[in-house]
Structure formats: structure tokens, C-alpha cells
Amino acid sequence: LINQSLTDSINYATRIQSAMIPTERVFRLHFAHSFIYFRPRALVSGDFYWLCEREDKLFVAAVDCTGHGVPGAFMSIIGMDLLKNIIVSSRVDSPSTILKLLSRELDNTLRQNHHSPVSQDAIKDGMDMVLLVIDRKNQTMDFSGAVNGLYLVRNNELQMFKGDRLPIGRLPDGMAPEYTETRIPLEKDDVVYLFTDGYVDQFGGDEMKKFKYRRFRHLLLNIHGLEPDDQKAILHQKLEDWKGAHEQVDDILVIGFKPLSS
């Protein structure tokens, strides 16, 4: 009976989380050429993605909260709420400033009852994420990353943009970190990939090793010219073949889209 009650509660939490995360159909209203490969390890996820249109700008985030399952899902709901406050209510445009404010606000939220940063009970969780601000009118994309980065495929070449090694919500010396901001001029057929580490960290293959980023980049370069649904299907099949009978180790999120396709 306790197990059934717990399962019912988690199923309901799944519905709440699903209602807060935009569907692939909603994402495609903004980016016609896109796919979202979202595969939580449990019923609820510590990975989430977020999309917001404000005036003539589109804000896109892919986020990996510490942990997965119920603890990760709690963090994801806090993260979505803070992003909304900073971007929609406070109307901040700069991705590096958004990440800095997010880091400070998350730290305040999780540690408001602990005056000492070394308190034994203080929550040490945080988030790794990539945030884009896309301006279609000027055909630019501003990027900042907390640990996570992005891949851009242009003219059959894959470019890497790395995030800063500064997770959201963990303040060194109590100071909100300064994040790097990069402006990327966009071209018509650019394909952008956002992702968390779940795909590359999946164990499998003949030697039970991680999939790793090198293999992931090679795969994306091979499929980037295909239709979005085909890319998604191949990513899924490759992961299934790699994983085999082994269990999924983490939440998985891969987003692929053409920023100028609307």
C-alpha cells in the first residue's frame, strides 16, 4: 500500500513536471527544424529544458540538475521558476548575467537557513547548464555555459563552444561567479546541439566503457543533415545498441535545431 501511494505521488509529480517543460511540438513552433531527445532515467527528471520568447528574442536553456529522480525534479522546478523570474519578470537579456543571477538566487534559496557556508546540513546541489539568447532579426546567438557547452555544425564542420567550469548555485567564497559570454553570428543552415552529460556517460559497448564526447561529436556530424525525426531516431538506436542490456545511468537530454528556422 505504501509503495502504491508512493508510485501514485511520483506519477503525479511527473505530470506536474511535464506540464512545466515545453513539448517538442511547442518547441517546433519556434524552431521548425528541431528535435528533442529527452529520456529521464526515472519517472521524473533532473534534466530539463526551457524556452521563452520575449519581444524579438528567444531564450533557450538545457539544464542538468544534481541528481536524478525526485531530488533532481525538485531542483528542476526551482530552476525553471528562477529562470522565469530573471528573464520574464526582471527582463534580463544577457546570458552571462542571467547565469550569475541564477547562481546567486539558487544559492540563496537552498542555503537561506544556513548562515555558515560549511554547515553540515547545507545543500550542496547545483546545476550545469547552457543558455542561449537568439536574436533572429540581427541573426546572432549569445551563449553562456555553466560547465556545459554547445556544438554548432556549419558547412559540415563541427565547432565546439565550451562553458565555464563554474556550476550554478555553488558560490566560491560566497561570491557569484562571472560567466563568459560569446556572441555567435548565425548563418542560414547552422545546426546547434545542446545536451547534458547523460548520453556521453552511458556505459556500454564490448568493453563496458562510456560513450564519450568524441564518439558523440562524430555521430552528430554524420546525422546533422538529416530530418530532425531521423536524427532523433538514430540517436535513440545508437544509444540502445551501445547500452545493450545494461541500465541507463543518468537522465538524457539532446536538443538539435536550426536557430534561423521558424
Side-chain angles (χ1 to χ4, degrees):
L1 199 64
I2 293 171
N3 280 348
Q4 184 59 50
S5 176
L6 193 59
T7 302
D8 289 346
S9 294
I10 293 171
N11 281 330
Y12 192 70
T14 308
R15 285 163 55 194
I16 293 170
Q17 190 180 45
S18 296
M20 296 181 74
I21 296 175
T23 62
E24 189 176 63
R25 187 182 63 80
V26 169
F27 201 85
R28 283 178 174 170
L29 293 175
H30 299 277
F31 302 102
H33 189 99
S34 65
F35 72 84
I36 295 168
Y37 184 49
F38 183 43
R39 183 170 169 170
R41 182 187 163 189
L43 287 169
V44 283
S45 174
D47 285 6
F48 73 92
Y49 55 96
W50 193 81
L51 172 69
C52 168
E53 184 174 26
R54 214 194 70 220
E55 283 117 26
D56 54 356
K57 290 181 177 171
L58 284 157
F59 299 78
V60 185
V63 189
D64 182 355
C65 300
T66 308
H68 41 73
V70 174
F74 269 111
M75 285 287 289
S76 77
I77 288 169
I78 294 169
M80 282 183 256
D81 190 49
L82 292 177
L83 276 170
K84 187 177 176 184
N85 285 340
I86 294 166
I87 293 171
V88 180
S89 303
S90 299
R91 306 179 70 76
V92 182
D93 281 349
S94 157
S96 58
T97 306
I98 293 165
L99 293 194
K100 181 178 180 177
L101 292 172
L102 186 63
S103 206
R104 190 159 61 205
E105 290 302 316
L106 183 62
D107 183 71
N108 289 342
T109 302
L110 296 181
R111 279 167 274 281
Q112 59 185 339
N113 293 323
H114 299 282
H115 303 298
S116 165
V118 293
S119 167
Q120 291 301 305
D121 298 325
I123 300 170
K124 298 177 181 66
D125 288 336
M127 301 173 186
D128 299 340
M129 66 182 286
V130 54
L131 177 65
L132 304 178
V133 181
I134 297 165
D135 183 339
R136 284 202 176 126
K137 191 170 71 178
N138 295 307
Q139 300 196 340
T140 59
M141 180 170 71
D142 292 342
F143 150 74
S144 289
V147 180
N148 291 355
L150 68 89
Y151 296 152
L152 170 70
V153 182
R154 176 183 294 168
N155 300 326
N156 291 313
E157 290 185 358
L158 187 145
Q159 301 176 36
M160 289 188 287
F161 293 86
K162 294 185 176 181
D164 297 298
R165 304 298 298 175
L166 298 163
I168 297 292
R170 300 182 200 171
L171 305 191
D173 307 320
M175 302 288 288
E178 298 287 344
Y179 291 93
T180 310
E181 182 167 319
T182 306
R183 174 156 291 180
I184 305 167
L186 293 170
E187 295 182 10
K188 181 175 173 288
D189 287 318
D190 286 348
V191 184
V192 170
Y193 293 99
L194 309 181
F195 43 86
T196 57
D197 60 6
Y199 200 102
V200 297
D201 283 351
Q202 180 59 50
F203 283 96
D206 295 336
E207 299 173 16
M208 261 303 283
K209 290 184 175 179
K210 289 182 178 182
F211 194 82
K212 293 195 175 173
Y213 283 102
R214 190 169 145 272
R215 193 178 279 110
F216 183 54
R217 287 194 294 271
H218 183 69
L219 174 57
L220 294 179
L221 197 52
N222 279 338
I223 66 173
H224 79 276
L226 301 176
E227 288 300 309
D229 286 338
D230 294 334
Q231 294 188 49
K232 183 176 173 178
I234 290 168
L235 281 166
H236 176 72
Q237 194 54 53
K238 282 285 183 187
L239 189 77
E240 284 296 295
D241 293 345
W242 181 260
K243 186 169 73 72
H246 305 293
E247 67 172 26
Q248 183 176 331
V249 297
D250 198 0
D251 299 318
I252 290 167
L253 173 63
V254 182
I255 302 172
F257 66 101
K258 289 186 177 180
L260 297 181
S261 75
S262 55

